[in-house]
Amino acid sequence: MSDAVTDTDTRQIPTPVRALLVFGLLYLFLVGISVLENGISSLGEGVQEQLFTSVNNPIAALCVGILATVLAQSSSVTTSTIVGLVGTGLLPVEAAVPMIMGANIGTTVTATLVSLGHLRRSNEMRDAFAAATVHDYFNLLAVAVLLPLELTTHLLARSATWLTDRLVGRGGGTFNSPIQAAVKGPARWVRSVVEATGASGTLLGVLLIVVGLLFIFLALAFITSNMKALVADRMEQSINAFLARSGGAAAMLLGLVITMAVQSSSITTSIMVPLAASGVLTLRSVYPVTLGANVGTTITGILASLAISRPEALTIALVHTLFNIGGILLFYPVPAMREIPLRLATATGEFAGRRPVAVVSAVGFCFVVVPALGIAI
């Protein structure tokens, strides 16, 4: 009863007030990025070396991205943190690329967990799990192709650097962002408050990192919930109406727009799962929407880079965008390639319908145990 009242009261917030609240939360998010950058810069050199020498191996870096995203339940938090690390100059773009790819894999866990809500109904479980895992398979296949290509040619990093040079000038220095100037004052105030506790050196850096991450978590969580209240009530009807009369490209656009609006690809893809389980949407309709969501979620990293003066921060954010667009170009236009994730997801869904308990164990193993082992080894 009280939950229903609370939910009703939340939804009664006037739309203009909610929109202003979203802008305020976005500003808090950018302040958090600036505080995070400040904290990383305040760490001692020895601590910095220990933090980053452990991810020199690209497979370990990939696993760090997966596990961090699974634990945070948000690729936006992971990519924003990576952008902050690159923005300090301590983490090279080349080392951060596998982490970004890992975050793309880790973000699919939310929809996969949502599909487990249909465990007791085998037919629903089959369709729900297929709708969730088509996103998993696409991201895994994209990484399988693009990570080796990137390690040998640095194609994504070079392309993103070229774009950064055109947008903000040549690398090696800083660029003057009005957004960065706007958040610098509050970030300095947060630093002075933390310093007033007597913290200095490494402890100061750690505390600033914690505060920055707290700001990022809170801002993204409330941006997502407020935008969901503004948009998601009519999301299912809009998706069904749109997909009924449009093709794959239009469905991708829909996924991109919804994800940019609610600042969460997990919401977009998770909504697909019950729609597929109920038979309202087919797997072929769900697939392009998830691809658009992949591209839409990269806007968070680009926004985060605007709070940082080093152009490398924008470069790694653009790598995320190029990676997702590159994956779409590889696996969607050619029918034979397009079928691969669909067939894998269909087969996995069939197995899930027959062996739901085994699927639960497999999810935990794939998203937690395997990345943890990859980091440890």
Side-chain angles (χ1 to χ4, degrees):
M1 180 74 172
S2 59
D3 290 342
V5 172
T6 303
D7 187 59
T8 303
D9 292 342
T10 301
R11 294 179 185 279
Q12 287 177 349
I13 297 175
T15 298
V17 174
R18 195 183 292 279
L20 288 173
L21 179 59
V22 168
F23 279 109
L25 290 166
L26 182 58
Y27 182 73
L28 178 65
F29 165 74
L30 295 173
V31 170
I33 293 293
S34 186
V35 172
L36 177 68
E37 180 192 16
N38 211 326
I40 295 167
S41 299
S42 298
L43 292 174
E45 290 185 6
V47 176
Q48 294 164 2
E49 289 178 6
Q50 288 179 355
L51 282 172
F52 303 118
T53 52
S54 62
V55 293
N56 283 340
N57 185 302
I59 301 302
L62 180 75
C63 292
V64 165
I66 295 172
L67 193 58
T69 304
V70 169
L71 294 176
Q73 282 289 288
S74 172
S75 63
S76 297
V77 171
T78 305
T79 54
S80 299
T81 303
I82 294 168
V83 167
L85 293 173
V86 173
T88 63
L90 299 173
L91 183 62
V93 170
E94 290 77 11
V97 171
M99 294 185 194
I100 288 289
M101 294 184 181
N104 245 48
I105 295 172
T107 194
T108 62
V109 71
T110 305
T112 306
L113 291 174
V114 168
S115 71
L116 299 182
H118 300 274
L119 272 174
R120 296 184 179 180
R121 296 174 291 277
S122 60
N123 288 339
E124 289 185 15
M125 182 62 186
R126 178 196 64 206
D127 295 337
F129 204 71
T133 54
V134 74
H135 195 198
D136 296 90
Y137 282 122
F138 170 81
N139 284 335
L140 286 168
L141 289 166
V143 169
V145 174
L146 292 175
L147 179 57
L149 181 66
E150 178 64 16
L151 293 177
T152 53
T153 67
H154 302 296
L155 177 63
L156 294 175
R158 288 177 178 176
S159 300
T161 300
W162 183 86
L163 285 172
T164 302
D165 290 346
R166 300 301 176 278
L167 293 170
V168 299
R170 292 288 171 185
T174 61
F175 69 96
N176 295 319
S177 164
I179 293 178
Q180 195 238 354
V183 300
K184 190 176 290 184
R188 278 199 299 260
W189 178 80
V190 171
R191 182 187 178 99
S192 66
V193 169
V194 175
E195 286 176 332
T197 64
S200 61
T202 300
L203 178 59
L204 174 64
V206 170
L207 290 175
L208 287 173
I209 289 171
V210 170
V211 173
L213 288 173
L214 182 63
F215 282 6
I216 292 168
F217 267 102
L218 289 174
L220 286 175
F222 284 105
I223 287 172
T224 298
S225 62
N226 277 278
M227 290 305 298
K228 186 176 180 181
L230 287 170
V231 179
D233 283 343
R234 292 173 290 277
M235 203 178 285
E236 292 186 12
Q237 294 89 334
S238 300
I239 290 171
N240 284 300
F242 195 80
L243 294 180
R245 59 176 187 275
S246 62
M252 284 185 213
L253 180 62
L254 179 66
L256 184 150
V257 170
I258 292 174
T259 303
M260 288 179 66
V262 299
Q263 283 290 289
S264 173
S265 61
S266 297
I267 288 179
T268 308
T269 55
S270 295
I271 284 175
M272 298 293 105
V273 171
L275 291 176
S278 64
V280 173
L281 292 181
T282 65
L283 184 61
R284 291 183 183 276
S285 296
V286 169
Y287 181 32
V289 177
T290 63
L291 302 189
N294 261 9
V295 178
T297 195
T298 65
I299 189 65
T300 307
I302 293 173
L303 287 172
S305 72
L306 299 179
I308 300 171
S309 58
R310 290 180 66 93
E312 289 85 354
L314 178 59
T315 298
I316 193 61
L318 291 173
V319 164
H320 193 195
T321 305
L322 293 175
F323 167 72
N324 283 307
I325 292 173
I328 291 171
L329 293 176
L330 278 172
F331 286 99
Y332 199 81
V334 180
M337 298 292 284
R338 187 188 313 155
E339 289 296 315
I340 297 174
L342 289 168
R343 288 178 179 175
L344 289 170
T346 300
T348 306
E350 293 286 351
F351 178 80
R354 295 193 305 269
R355 305 277 182 87
V357 177
V359 165
V360 175
S361 302
V363 169
F365 182 77
C366 292
F367 283 102
V368 178
V369 176
V370 171
L373 287 174
I375 296 169
I377 296 172

